[in-house]
């Protein structure tokens, strides 16, 4: 059974930005792309476990605030060293003004 | 082995086994997220103005050197060219290594490859070395870029102000890596997946240098080598004099860049050569911020930081006595004062590692 969890209000995430969402002992990053799409990845950089929520969203990439590794947040693909491992991504849906993620 | 009975700075010694500080533990001066986002934005226009001007100056002064070659004017021309080539490239290697000046990635990457060659640094090895330096800044046994292990060698320090031992070592390293050899210390921070690229880069650098040498032999002139290769040796001194200020004489093993890094004010020309790295606390605290926004970041957080030094000379007035004193007392370091109301340095006690 899919487990959909409400992460935040949709308008809580600015365009070309992200917010952190903690659930249990896990942490996620919820993104809003320049064309108003919503996406979700694991919240920690795969390089040294830094919170991506403090990073920079540029177009469809998130840059880690510590070492400038970048990922495509739509696919989780690691695009720039020192990240070598892709980020996990999660399905997202918008319902009644809220962002839901399937974890 | 510990140097003179003090601490073991090697990346393969007992200190390397100490648990890390952890990224979350590092102090960051508070600033509104909206403002940090503004300062973090990349601009191809601003970066191209700087990098285009720099490259134009390298080409123009190189052409001037070629034009006056064989006359007494060649020496001052080489001095000027060398600074733009060697010192200018070193700071730009650093900036593009962070990937922050340009919004367009291929421009960052292209300048990174160019500046890496001009400063004779292996682009892959140094990218990973510098990543570790940012993770564990001046953490003994973990940071591969501690330039002044205590007690510091005054002789090495003086020679390195002219970049002589460091660059000679870098050249030897290039040959060794081109032959496919990495030290255990290098393997400790360079993932194995990066090794083939690392070897290939050193081979490519050596090949270019060999071609320049061949050109010099063919035309029976030192000019090609004075234009490519040698400027890293005779022109990097200014960068090194500036970069010495970054951490020398300050605290070790403290998760607060306000305590282990220096910010100082500098004239616009030197800031151009040095890519604003005089704002070094700011750079370490917020490494996503491109060099052209560091002065604004400084304004944003300076009330939470030790007062910036007024000049390069002021830094040396503090560093030289501190380093001299560390000869006899390796535990001595400069304790930077925090202004009233500034955030406190996080408490941290390094785990004691049992001797094997």
């Amino acid at each position: 059974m899919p487990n959909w969890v409400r992460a935040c209000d949709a308008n809580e995430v600015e365009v070309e930005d992200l917010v952190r969402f903690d659930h249990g002992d896990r942490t996620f990053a919820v993104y809003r792309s320049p064309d108003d799409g919503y996406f979700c990845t694991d919240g920690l950089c795969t390089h040294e476990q830094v919170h991506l929520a403090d990073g920079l969203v540029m177009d469809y990439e998130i840059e880690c605030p510590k070492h400038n590794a970048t990922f495509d947040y739509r696919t989780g693909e690691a695009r720039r060293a020192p990240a070598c491992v892709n980020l996990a991504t999660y399905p997202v849906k918008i319902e009644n003004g809220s962002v839901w993620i399937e974890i | 082995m510990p140097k003179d009975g003090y601490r073991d700075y090697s990346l393969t010694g007992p200190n390397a086994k100490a648990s890390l500080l952890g990224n979350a533990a590092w102090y960051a001066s508070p600033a509104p997220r909206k403002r940090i986002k503004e300062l973090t934005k990349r601009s191809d226009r601003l970066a191209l103005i700087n990098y285009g001007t720099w490259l134009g100056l390298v080409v123009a002064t190189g052409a001037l050197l070629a034009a006056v070659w064989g006359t007494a004017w060649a020496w001052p021309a080489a001095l000027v060219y060398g600074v733009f080539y060697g010192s200018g490239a070193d700071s730009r290697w650093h900036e593009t290594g962070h990937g922050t000046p340009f919004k367009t990635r291929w421009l960052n990457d292209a300048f990174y490859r160019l500046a890496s060659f001009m400063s004779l640094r292996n682009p892959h090895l140094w990218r990973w070395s510098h990543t570790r330096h940012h993770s564990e800044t001046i953490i003994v046994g973990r940071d591969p870029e501690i330039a002044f292990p205590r007690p510091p060698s005054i002789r090495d320090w003086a020679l390195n102000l002219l970049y002589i031992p460091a660059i000679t070592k870098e050249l030897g390293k290039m040959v060794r890596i081109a032959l496919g050899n990495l030290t255990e210390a290098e393997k400790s921070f360079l993932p194995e997946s990066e090794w083939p690229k690392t070897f290939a880069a050193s081979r490519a650098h050596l090949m270019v240098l060999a071609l320049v040498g061949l050109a010099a032999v063919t035309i029976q002139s030192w000019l090609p080598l004075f234009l490519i290769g040698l400027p890293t040796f005779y022109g990097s001194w200014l960068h090194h004099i500036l970069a010495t200020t970054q951490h020398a004489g300050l605290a070790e093993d403290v998760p607060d860049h306000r305590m282990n890094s220096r910010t100082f004010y500098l004239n616009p020309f030197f800031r151009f050569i040095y890519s604003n790295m005089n704002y070094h606390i700011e750079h370490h605290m917020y490494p996503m911020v491109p060099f052209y926004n560091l002065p604004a970041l400084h304004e944003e957080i300076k009330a939470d930081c030790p007062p910036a030094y007024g000049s390069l000379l002021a830094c040396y007035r503090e560093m030289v006595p501190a380093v001299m004193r560390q000869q006899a007392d390796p535990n001595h370091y400069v304790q930077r004062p925090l202004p009233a109301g500034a955030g406190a340095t996080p408490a941290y006690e390094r785990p004691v590692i049992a001797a094997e």
Side-chain angles (χ1 to χ4, degrees), chain A residues 14-18 47-50 53-59 61 63-68 70 79-84, chain B residues 23 26 33 37 40-42 96-100 103 105 109 127-128 130-132 134-135 191 193-194 257 284 286-288:
Chain A
E14 291 181 13
V15 173
E16 210 173 9
D17 203 358
L18 80 165
H47 170 233
E48 280 192 0
Q49 308 297 302
V50 173
D54 296 325
L56 173 69
V57 173
M58 286 181 292
D59 297 330
E61 289 187 341
E63 181 176 303
C64 173
K66 187 74 177 174
H67 300 107
N68 312 96
T70 58
R79 287 273 183 86
R80 182 177 188 278
C84 300
Chain B
N23 291 306
W26 284 89
R33 173 164 169 76
K37 268 179 67 181
T40 303
K41 294 282 183 203
R42 316 287 155 74
T96 50
H98 280 282
T100 50
K103 186 173 185 195
R105 175 163 310 141
D109 291 345
R127 186 193 295 281
W128 285 88
H130 201 62
T131 293
R132 176 72 78 81
H134 271 263
S135 288
S193 59
E194 300 288 299
H257 294 110
H284 268 280
Y286 290 101
M288 288 195 307

Side-chain angles (χ1 to χ4, degrees), chain B residues 57 60-85 226 234-235 237 269:
Chain B
L57 285 166
T61 54
L64 178 69
L65 173 59
V68 300
W69 187 252
T71 73
W73 289 105
W75 295 108
L79 183 69
V80 175
Y81 172 67
V83 165
F84 286 124
Y85 182 114
F226 263 76
Y234 70 74
W237 56 272
F269 177 69

